[in-house]
């Protein structure tokens, strides 16, 4: 689990470094209540389908691991994305 999380975290850090507008948006949601943050992120990703596809591709190894090993979402710690 930790190796997959580390790979996803590294990939997301690289993505956010090369996409400063996404990084700025996500940073602007820090400190918000989870429900409000989740809603804002969902709205942003809906309005930006390319960004959503790229982030989903980064998160895909975690989804595959959860499915194959029957791991609850809460056991993979990749934030609200």
């Amino acid at each position: 689990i930790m190796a997959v999380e580390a790979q996803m975290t590294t990939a997301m850090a690289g993505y956010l470094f090369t996409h400063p507008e996404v990084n700025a948006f996500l940073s602007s949601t820090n400190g918000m209540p989870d429900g409000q943050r989740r809603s804002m992120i969902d709205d942003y990703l809906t309005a930006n389908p390319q960004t959503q596809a790229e982030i989903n591709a980064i998160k895909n190894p975690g989804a595959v691991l959860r499915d194959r090993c029957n791991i609850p979402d809460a056991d993979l710690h990749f934030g609200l994305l």
Side-chain angles (χ1 to χ4, degrees):
I1 293 173
M2 294 190 71
V4 171
E5 285 184 336
Q7 290 170 350
M8 290 170 28
T9 299
T10 299
M12 183 57 77
Y15 179 82
L16 293 175
F17 181 77
T18 59
H19 296 81
E21 70 285 355
V22 178
N23 189 30
F25 168 75
L26 292 174
S27 294
S28 76
T29 68
N30 286 340
M32 291 181 178
D34 285 349
Q36 180 183 3
R37 184 170 188 241
R38 173 80 270 159
S39 178
M40 288 186 69
I41 291 171
D42 287 346
D43 291 347
Y44 180 85
L45 293 176
T46 297
N48 297 280
Q50 181 65 35
T51 299
Q52 184 172 28
E54 292 165 350
I55 290 173
N56 286 345
I58 291 168
K59 293 171 48 180
N60 188 54
V64 170
L65 179 64
R66 277 194 312 271
D67 291 346
R68 286 188 181 169
C69 300
N70 198 27
I71 299 170
D73 286 343
D75 290 344
L76 285 176
H77 309 285
F78 204 58
L80 287 172
L81 287 177

